[in-house]
């Protein structure tokens, strides 16, 4: 399948690229060094209607398609992967409300999320439930008109800055109800607190940490979707999330390629630019080819979603391959820079630190291969 983008998609890329280059990229190095949450960037993204790209206009979003969202995520991440992952995690929450929210829940929560007036976080991962997402230990027990939640979540993106959390918790099994359920928890709810924030290898400006629930009481109306269908909802949202991580990886790979090309054209050895040496030129050719292949996988998955067709296998393929390509391209970017690439004077080392998360978050590369193999085997 080829991808000759429509005029609207090319306009999306042009608009977001110009915005990201002007307002996001200049802050990327500073955010990485200070570990500051980039509220200024996020607020401007909200003003650009980038926080709810695929959310219907009636709920405050842009009403665009998934391909537009993939393109926007790539361009934002090309400028700053930190901003990219913040928006990506926020998008998971919007998707959950779109898929399973009641009209009342959509009006109360999805509208401010899609407008970027409030930030969202997705609470699935636990110390013993990462790749094994079904092994939830956080519990929710019904008590009259409330659900009482107890447990701990870890590695949650937007932990702290977010005001609306979708939390997956194990609920008591009933004859026709088995599996965890999803709940809406607002920041400031008694019994809900933010635990330790992680010191990470990269993406320093994004807040990642623990959610702690100690007899946290949420109204019965805060059940999101059907009882016992929380994990199914999470996995449904994660399919779209994998497209977004693939797009984030493509943005990092694109930034790595551009940095490598610029340096290779300027740096001279043996009387000529290193780009003229076959060893370096072949690296650049491989980077460009791998990136184009990665982008095609991503656009295919997004296009299938837009067509209302199954896209789980393609999303897993895109996420797996794009993450691997991003790490490879960032590594080669450092190699082309030589000693300079190992210093913080150039962005190459930051790209590698950021790219590595793409092989881990939203399901590791190993989990993606497991998902793909199940589709292949049938």
């Amino acid at each position: 399948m080829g991808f000759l983008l429509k005029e609207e998609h090319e306009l999306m890329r042009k608009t977001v690229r110009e915005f990201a280059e002007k307002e996001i990229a200049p802050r990327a190095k500073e955010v990485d060094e200070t570990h500051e949450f980039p509220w200024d960037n996020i607020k401007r993204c909200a003003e650009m209607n980038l926080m709810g790209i695929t959310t219907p206009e009636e709920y405050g979003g842009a009403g665009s398609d998934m391909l537009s969202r993939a393109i926007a995520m790539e361009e934002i991440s090309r400028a700053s992967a930190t901003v990219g992952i913040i928006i990506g995690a926020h998008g998971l929450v919007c998707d959950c409300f779109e898929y399973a929210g009641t009209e009342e829940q959509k009006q109360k929560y999805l509208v401010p999320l899609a407008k970027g007036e409030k930030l969202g976080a997705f609470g699935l991962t636990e110390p013993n439930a990462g790749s094994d997402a079904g092994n939830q230990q956080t519990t929710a027990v019904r008590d009259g008109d409330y659900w009482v939640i107890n447990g701990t979540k870890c590695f949650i993106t937007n932990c702290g800055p977010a005001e609306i959390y979708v939390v997956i918790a194990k609920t008591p099994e009933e004859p026709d109800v088995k599996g965890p359920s999803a709940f809406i928890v607002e920041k400031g709810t008694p019994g809900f607190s933010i635990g330790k924030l992680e010191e990470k290898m990269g993406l320093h400006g994004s807040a990642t940490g623990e959610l702690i629930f100690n007899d946290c009481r949420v109204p019965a109306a805060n059940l999101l979707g059907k009882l016992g269908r929380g994990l199914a909802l999470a996995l449904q949202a994660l399919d779209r999330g994998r497209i977004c991580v693939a797009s984030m990886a493509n943005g990092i790979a694109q930034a790595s390629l551009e940095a490598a090309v610029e340096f290779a054209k300027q740096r001279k050895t043996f009387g000529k630019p290193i780009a003229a040496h076959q060893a370096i030129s072949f690296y650049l050719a491989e980077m460009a080819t791998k990136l184009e292949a990665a982008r095609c996988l991503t656009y295919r998955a997004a296009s299938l979603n837009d067509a209302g067709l199954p896209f789980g296998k393609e999303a897993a393929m895109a996420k797996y391959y794009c993450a691997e390509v991003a790490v490879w391209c960032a590594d080669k970017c450092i190699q082309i820079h030589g000693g300079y690439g190992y210093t913080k004077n150039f962005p190459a080392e930051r790209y590698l630190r950021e790219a590595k998360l793409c092989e881990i978050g939203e399901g590791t590369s190993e989990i993606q291969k497991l998902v793909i193999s199940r589709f292949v085997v049938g």
Side-chain angles (χ1 to χ4, degrees):
M1 179 184 292
F3 293 101
L4 296 176
L5 299 180
K6 297 178 181 178
E7 183 178 350
E8 63 192 77
H9 297 126
E10 294 291 3
L11 180 60
M12 170 66 78
R13 186 184 299 283
K14 181 177 183 293
T15 301
V16 178
R17 175 169 289 198
E18 290 176 353
F19 160 70
E21 287 181 344
K22 180 181 179 182
E23 302 195 37
I24 296 179
R27 291 265 287 126
K29 186 176 189 297
E30 179 187 359
V31 167
D32 180 62
E33 292 175 345
T34 63
H35 295 214
E36 171 194 358
F37 191 87
W39 274 119
D40 55 337
N41 289 160
I42 299 304
K43 289 178 180 177
R44 283 293 291 127
C45 285
E47 292 171 6
M48 292 290 292
N49 215 1
L50 296 174
M51 302 302 284
I53 295 177
T54 50
T55 302
E57 293 182 20
E58 63 187 292
Y59 296 116
S64 298
D65 57 16
M66 193 65 201
L67 184 52
S68 295
R69 183 169 162 186
I71 291 169
M73 272 292 295
E74 179 182 334
E75 292 301 327
I76 291 169
S77 300
R78 170 177 170 266
S80 170
T82 286
V83 177
I85 197 171
I86 291 170
I87 293 177
H90 174 86
L92 277 176
V93 179
C94 290
D95 289 340
C96 286
F97 280 103
E98 284 185 51
Y99 289 145
T102 64
E103 183 63 26
E104 183 179 354
Q105 289 171 341
K106 288 178 180 178
Q107 292 295 338
K108 183 176 181 180
Y109 298 109
L110 180 55
V111 170
L113 284 167
K115 290 182 176 180
E117 296 170 350
K118 292 186 178 181
L119 191 66
F122 184 64
L124 175 63
T125 303
E126 297 184 2
N128 293 309
S131 293
D132 184 9
N135 189 32
Q136 298 289 311
Q137 300 301 307
T138 296
T139 61
V141 178
R142 186 70 180 261
D143 182 19
D145 293 333
Y146 291 86
W147 285 94
V148 182
I149 304 175
N150 284 283
T152 301
K153 299 289 180 178
C154 65
F155 301 134
I156 306 304
T157 303
N158 295 343
C159 172
E163 296 173 88
I164 300 172
Y165 296 77
V166 171
V167 178
I168 309 301
K170 183 167 60 175
T171 44
E173 292 189 358
E174 299 178 10
D176 297 321
V177 178
K178 293 183 179 181
S181 303
F183 297 90
I184 306 162
V185 183
E186 296 183 53
K187 186 176 183 179
T189 301
F192 169 42
S193 60
I194 303 300
K196 178 186 69 173
L197 294 179
E198 301 292 345
E199 294 186 19
K200 308 189 297 294
M201 174 179 172
L203 302 166
H204 292 154
S206 74
T208 307
E210 295 179 324
L211 310 179
I212 299 175
F213 302 93
N214 185 12
D215 288 336
C216 174
R217 299 173 67 86
V218 299
N222 281 32
L223 174 69
L224 182 59
K226 295 181 180 180
L227 192 65
R229 299 295 296 166
L231 185 58
L233 173 61
L235 295 177
Q236 185 181 14
L238 284 170
D239 276 344
R240 269 190 171 184
R242 286 167 180 166
I243 295 175
C244 290
V245 173
S247 300
M248 173 181 160
N250 293 342
I252 297 171
Q254 180 68 47
S256 298
L257 174 60
E258 290 173 358
V261 169
E262 180 180 2
F263 186 85
K265 290 166 71 174
Q266 294 178 358
R267 173 69 168 168
K268 292 183 178 181
T269 61
F270 307 104
K272 58 184 177 181
I274 63 172
H277 295 299
Q278 188 179 76
I280 301 301
S281 67
F282 277 16
Y283 273 152
L284 297 175
E286 288 182 88
M287 292 170 75
T289 303
K290 288 176 183 287
L291 173 56
E292 203 61 35
R295 192 174 279 129
C296 283
L297 275 173
T298 306
Y299 291 179
R300 173 170 168 75
S303 297
L304 287 171
N305 176 227
D306 291 334
L309 298 171
F311 66 100
K313 179 183 71 175
E314 289 76 13
M317 285 178 168
K319 196 274 183 186
Y320 159 60
Y321 185 74
C322 295
E324 303 284 315
V325 167
V327 171
W328 191 90
C329 286
D331 178 64
K332 291 302 174 282
C333 180
I334 291 177
Q335 194 69 18
I336 290 169
H337 279 72
Y340 294 106
Y342 201 66
T343 72
K344 290 186 177 291
N345 296 324
F346 289 81
E349 60 84 31
R350 172 164 59 86
Y351 296 151
L352 182 58
R353 289 188 286 107
E354 293 172 339
K356 187 60 189 175
L357 186 277
C358 297
E359 293 183 321
I360 300 170
E362 302 275 6
T364 62
S365 291
E366 291 73 23
I367 287 296
Q368 304 313 310
K369 286 188 278 189
L370 179 63
V371 171
I372 296 164
S373 68
R374 286 175 176 171
F375 277 106
V376 172
V377 174

